[in-house]
């Protein structure tokens, strides 16, 4: 009898191990390998190298990423969510590229993923493999200059970036704040920017983005400034992740203005109005800046608190990462973001990103402002 039990047990166990590579339980051993490689700092360079393979097979198909996705609930489409995208990669499906492009790259699903699968990186790599540049030409970059390049090294250079040039209220407020704090600064791209390169990278154009990055780096390092100040979280993230600037501290304006306030270089009076804060994806989830904007707002107004803040905050829907969604679908994402921060209960919705500002302003009937604008108005 004992022999029969032993043999049944051994056969069942062998059958389990033999069928493991073909079953959904393959994620159990793969996950261990993936976590070891990830902690060793390894990164993928193509969507199916050894590391990416361990990542793809670590997905347990739990589906938590579906519930987290703001575009999934807005568009009623699930096919592009991380679980299906990763499955398409695993099965070498022709749909993988389309799923990679059908995503706002907001990163909320990655926060929800218990395995920590970097689906954004996998999507970037998948897009790179099929990127067609058409008539793209960046030869002009070798002679490109900034008209406002400083002659003497300033304390700080301000790079507004393309999106901030489309929301002039932000850069005008920043300039006022810098003047008020007597900062020795130069507004480097006052007359227009060479793009930071991130829109190209998230579209799959890393190779072409390298030239933009190189040219910007040469110019910025050549100024001798100690601080590079940025207003756009999209720029901020790529400068931090890809530029490796030597001897220059990279700061988002929420961090720099909070520092000026801490050092009493600017003083703020608390206004008699309430404000709720929307975390931009690239500043919050992307760069982990959550505290400084809230510190500034608490000094300038009555800051409201709500449940889904920080890492699980909603995307505004304005992301540059996909051209596959309609205006209405993006609008639903924006409205859900406004609901999640209880925008109706506050006099002002604050954010710290020019793209979020533009997007949320379309869908909210009360004031939406950047923190730099609020601080500028509350300075004494
Ligand atoms: S990155 Fe954002 S939009 Fe894309 S699948 Fe994840 S949660 Fe959805
Ligand atoms: S949350 Fe992570 S592990 Fe779960 S299905 Fe999505 S990608 Fe896979």
């Amino acid at each position: 009898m004992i022999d029969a039990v032993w043999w049944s047990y051994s056969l069942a166990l062998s059958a389990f191990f033999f069928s493991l590579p073909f079953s959904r339980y393959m994620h159990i051993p793969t996950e261990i390998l993936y976590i070891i490689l990830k902690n060793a700092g390894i990164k993928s360079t193509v969507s199916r190298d050894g590391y990416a393979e361990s990542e793809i097979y670590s997905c347990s198909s739990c589906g938590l990423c579906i519930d987290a996705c703001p575009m999934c609930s807005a568009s009623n489409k699930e096919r592009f969510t991380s679980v299906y995208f990763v499955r398409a990669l695993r099965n070498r499906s022709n749909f993988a590229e389309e799923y990679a492009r059908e995503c706002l790259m907001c990163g909320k699903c990655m926060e929800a993923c218990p395995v920590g699968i970097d689906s954004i990186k996998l999507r970037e790599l998948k897009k790179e493999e099929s990127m067609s540049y058409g008539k793209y030409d960046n030869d002009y970059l070798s002679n490109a200059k900034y008209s406002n390049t400083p002659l003497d090294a300033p304390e700080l250079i301000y790079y507004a970036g393309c999106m901030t040039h489309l929301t002039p209220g932000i850069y005008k407020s920043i300039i006022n704040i810098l003047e008020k704090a007597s900062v020795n600064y130069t507004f480097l791209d006052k007359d227009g920017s060479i793009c930071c390169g991130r829109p190209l990278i998230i579209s799959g154009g890393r190779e072409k983005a390298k030239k933009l990055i190189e040219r910007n780096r040469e110019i910025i390092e050549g100024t001798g400034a100690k601080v590079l100040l940025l207003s756009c979280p999209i720029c901020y993230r790529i400068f931090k992740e890809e530029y490796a600037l030597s001897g220059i501290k990279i700061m988002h304006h929420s961090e720099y203005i909070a520092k000026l306030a801490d050092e009493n270089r600017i003083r703020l009076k608390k206004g008699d109005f309430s404000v709720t804060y929307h975390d931009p994806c690239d500043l919050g989830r992307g760069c982990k800046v959550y505290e400084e904007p809230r510190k500034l707002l608490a000094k300038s107004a009555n800051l409201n608190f709500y449940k889904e803040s920080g890492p699980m905050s909603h995307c505004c829907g304005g992301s540059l990462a996909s051209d596959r969604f309609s205006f209405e679908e993006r609008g639903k994402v924006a409205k859900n973001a406004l609901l999640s921060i209880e925008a109706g209960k506050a006099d002002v919705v604050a954010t710290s990103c020019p793209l979020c500002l533009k997007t949320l302003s379309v869908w909210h009937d009360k004031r939406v402002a950047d923190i730099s604008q609020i601080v500028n108005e509350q300075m004494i």
Side-chain angles (χ1 to χ4, degrees), residues 140 146 159 162 193-200 212-213 216 243:
Y140 74 96
Y146 286 106
Y159 173 98
C162 319
S193 307
I194 298 172
C195 174
C196 67
R198 184 151 164 85
L200 255 176
L212 297 169
I213 292 172
N216 267 330
Y243 273 66

Side-chain angles (χ1 to χ4, degrees), residues 58-66 82-83 86 109 112-117 119:
S58 295
C59 172
S60 62
S61 302
C62 66
L64 290 174
C65 48
I66 300 177
S82 293
V83 59
V86 168
C109 54
C113 177
V115 187
I117 290 176
S119 52

Side-chain angles (χ1 to χ4, degrees), residues 65-72 78 80-83 85 99-100 102-110 119-120 123 281 285 315 319 325:
C65 48
I66 300 177
D67 296 336
C69 178
M71 188 45 102
C72 174
E78 290 184 352
F80 63 87
T81 52
S82 293
V83 59
F85 166 64
Y99 296 169
E102 276 186 334
C103 164
L104 300 173
M105 311 267 265
C106 72
K108 195 172 174 205
C109 54
M110 285 169 53
S119 52
I120 288 197
R123 286 179 202 266
C281 301
R285 276 188 288 275
C315 172
S319 164
F325 297 108

Side-chain angles (χ1 to χ4, degrees), residues 70 277-278 306 308 313-317 331-343 360:
Y277 179 66
H278 165 81
Y306 52 90
E308 277 186 320
S313 59
H314 278 243
C315 172
C316 72
K332 278 190 198 163
V333 175
K335 284 180 193 166
N336 287 338
L338 288 163
L339 276 177
S340 74
I341 59 171
E342 300 177 356
L360 295 177

Side-chain angles (χ1 to χ4, degrees), residues 138-147 194 215-216 218-219:
N138 57 12
D139 287 350
Y140 74 96
L141 281 172
S142 46
N143 295 317
K145 289 189 176 73
Y146 286 106
S147 56
I194 298 172
R215 188 68 192 128
N216 267 330
E218 275 170 14
I219 296 172

Side-chain angles (χ1 to χ4, degrees), residues 93 97 223 242 267-268 279 283 293 298 355 361 369:
S93 158
E97 190 218 328
T223 64
E242 308 279 346
R267 289 195 300 134
L268 301 172
D279 283 291
L283 190 66
L355 184 56
S361 300

Side-chain angles (χ1 to χ4, degrees), residues 159-173:
Y159 173 98
C162 319
M163 280 311 302
T164 311
H165 276 288
L166 296 174
T167 45
I170 297 181
Y171 71 71
K172 285 179 186 164
S173 302

